[in-house]
């Protein structure tokens, strides 16, 4: 399998956004046939000394984990992207660097996304969680559900809350991070940090010197030191796409994620944007954060459905893949000797609708107009919530995402 194409992730801060809101978005470019599910886990308390089983390894559990919502490849424990009840959003990108990624099973970058969300109540807390676990357990193992070959990568992260974002880039257990509080930031499948580093692994520079990648005589430039090639700033194409939008809103972020001409929406023979997320994080803490998920491939033919954290939020089995437990081929060694059907009900309905509309252009265009109108109604309803002076009644949104998925399936069928 060739190297993954750029998988873009964005954040925009006031004054580049409207109404003092932070807007976050990501397209997840993965193998074409991979299914992503959208899953919610309630806040929980755990017994002292208990363990948590991640994708490949078991680690110590903490006493309390936050409520989280994730978009994840259905075969793994972690996530490509997600959010928690405190308004923290995290996304992960796979990268290659001068330091070869390890095939030894450890934490995946996607596991670290979930762990950061479960354990961090702010972006900085989540950053600290991720780097401490990275240093303790390392990263490694197959990024794809592929029994014939091991595809390994290093990881970068975009970690965002209502006030700030952190770009975290890793090379093995070594790492560096930059704080962002204004403007627009884009990361993709290449290193992007240069000389502006706000926090870093204490042995980062000495390690680079020991490998002969930096002499210490020049200014330390993270991307130049650790990148394989000179093209470590190719993420700028994504940055330019968002910069063209003027004031960034949820709708403009969605439009950018749907853009195939720029390459931001990936649709190739091998890879596809298998799921997308957009989140709006009002800087006013009395307003709720709203997270929009597709749960289906290709945002140009999917719709973004809203989710708001409230107590007793209704679970959505129709966007969750079948649970296989210990019989899952990911749990058995050697791993991935079989590839089970992981399609959930929304994915199947989306797939069926695509096959029908590909054979009937008029029907396809009519269905897409209906779906986009459904999405527009959802965006307008969420805007009413964000601009309301009244306190949100949780009962009004406890089944919000459930109802949106249910309605979408009915239209697709």
């Amino acid at each position: 399998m060739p190297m993954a194409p750029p998988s873009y992730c964005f954040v925009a801060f006031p004054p580049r956004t409207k109404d003092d809101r932070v807007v976050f978005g990501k397209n997840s470019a993965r193998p074409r046939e991979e299914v992503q599910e959208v899953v919610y886990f309630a806040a929980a308390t755990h017994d002292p000394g208990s363990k948590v089983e991640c994708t490949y390894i078991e680690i110590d559990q903490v006493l309390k984990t936050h409520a989280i919502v994730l978009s994840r490849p259905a075969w793994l424990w972690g996530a490509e992207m997600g959010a928690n009840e405190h308004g923290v959003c995290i996304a992960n990108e796979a990268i290659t660097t001068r330091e070869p990624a390890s095939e030894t099973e450890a934490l995946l970058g996607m596991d670290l996304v979930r762990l950061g969300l479960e354990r961090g109540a702010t972006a900085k807390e989540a950053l600290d969680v991720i780097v401490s676990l990275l240093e303790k357990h390392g990263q490694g193992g197959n990024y794809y559900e592929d029994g014939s070959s091991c595809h390994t990568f290093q990881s970068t992260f975009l970690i965002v809350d209502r006030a700030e974002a952190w770009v975290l880039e890793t090379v093995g257990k070594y790492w560096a991070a930059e704080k962002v509080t204004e403007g627009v930031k884009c990361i993709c499948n290449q290193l992007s940090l240069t000389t502006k580093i706000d926090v870093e692994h204490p042995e980062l520079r000495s390690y680079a010197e020991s490998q002969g990648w930096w002499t210490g005589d020049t200014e330390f430039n993270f991307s130049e030191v650790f990148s394989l090639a000179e093209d470590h700033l190719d993420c700028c194409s994504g940055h330019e796409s968002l910069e063209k939008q003027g004031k960034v809103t949820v709708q403009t972020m969605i439009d950018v994620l749907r853009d195939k001409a720029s390459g931001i929406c990936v649709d190739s023979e091998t890879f596809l944007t298998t799921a997308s997320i957009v989140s709006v994080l009002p800087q006013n803490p009395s307003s709720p954060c709203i997270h929009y998920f597709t749960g289906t491939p290709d945002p140009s033919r999917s719709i973004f459905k809203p989710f708001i954290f409230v107590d007793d939020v209704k679970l959505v089995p129709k966007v969750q893949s079948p649970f296989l437990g210990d019989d899952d081929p990911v749990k058995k060694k050697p791993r991935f000797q079989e590839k089970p059907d992981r399609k959930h009900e929304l994915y199947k309905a989306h797939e069926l609708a695509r096959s029908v509309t590909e054979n009937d252009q008029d029907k396809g265009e009519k269905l897409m107009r209906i779906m986009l109108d459904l999405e527009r109604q959802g965006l307008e309803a969420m805007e009413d919530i964000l601009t309301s002076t009244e306190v949100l009644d949780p009962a009004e949104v406890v089944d919000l995402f459930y109802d949106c998925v249910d309605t979408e399936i009915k239209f697709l069928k």
Side-chain angles (χ1 to χ4, degrees), residues 170-288:
T170 69
V171 180
K173 72 173 184 178
Y174 301 97
W175 56 273
E178 176 189 0
K179 183 178 178 180
V180 180
T181 57
E182 60 184 13
V184 170
K185 188 72 177 181
C186 169
I187 68 168
C188 65
N189 295 85
Q190 304 211 353
L191 294 175
S192 63
L193 297 183
T194 55
T195 57
K196 184 183 181 298
I197 297 173
D198 293 301
V199 289
E200 63 187 74
H201 189 286
E203 298 171 7
L204 175 70
R205 301 185 191 213
S206 60
Y207 178 71
E209 284 191 88
S210 72
Q211 299 300 304
W213 297 334
W214 183 56
T215 64
D217 297 329
T218 57
E219 187 175 20
F220 187 80
N221 183 310
F222 187 86
S223 294
E224 288 182 0
V225 169
F226 290 107
S227 290
L228 277 170
E230 294 299 318
D231 57 356
H232 53 264
L233 294 178
D234 279 358
C235 298
C236 63
S237 60
H239 187 275
E240 290 168 0
S241 295
L242 196 57
E243 285 282 7
K244 294 175 184 175
Q245 298 298 318
K247 289 281 189 179
V248 178
T249 64
V250 170
Q251 184 63 65
T252 55
M253 185 67 80
I254 289 173
D255 292 343
V256 166
L257 296 182
R258 284 179 168 150
D259 184 6
K260 289 191 175 180
S262 68
I264 291 171
C265 181
V266 173
D267 188 355
S268 69
E269 186 176 331
T270 312
F271 291 96
L272 181 67
T273 297
T274 54
S276 305
I277 182 177
V278 172
S279 295
V280 57
L281 316 175
Q283 294 193 315
N284 178 359
S286 65
S287 294

Side-chain angles (χ1 to χ4, degrees), residues 127-140:
L127 168 73
D128 293 340
V129 165
I130 290 172
V131 298
S132 65
L133 291 170
L134 180 67
E135 291 173 21
K136 183 174 183 179
H137 300 286
Q139 57 182 320

Side-chain angles (χ1 to χ4, degrees), residues 45-51 61-64:
T45 56
H46 308 277
D47 294 333
S50 62
K51 303 287 186 179
Q61 183 57 285
V62 291
L63 296 179
K64 183 180 186 305

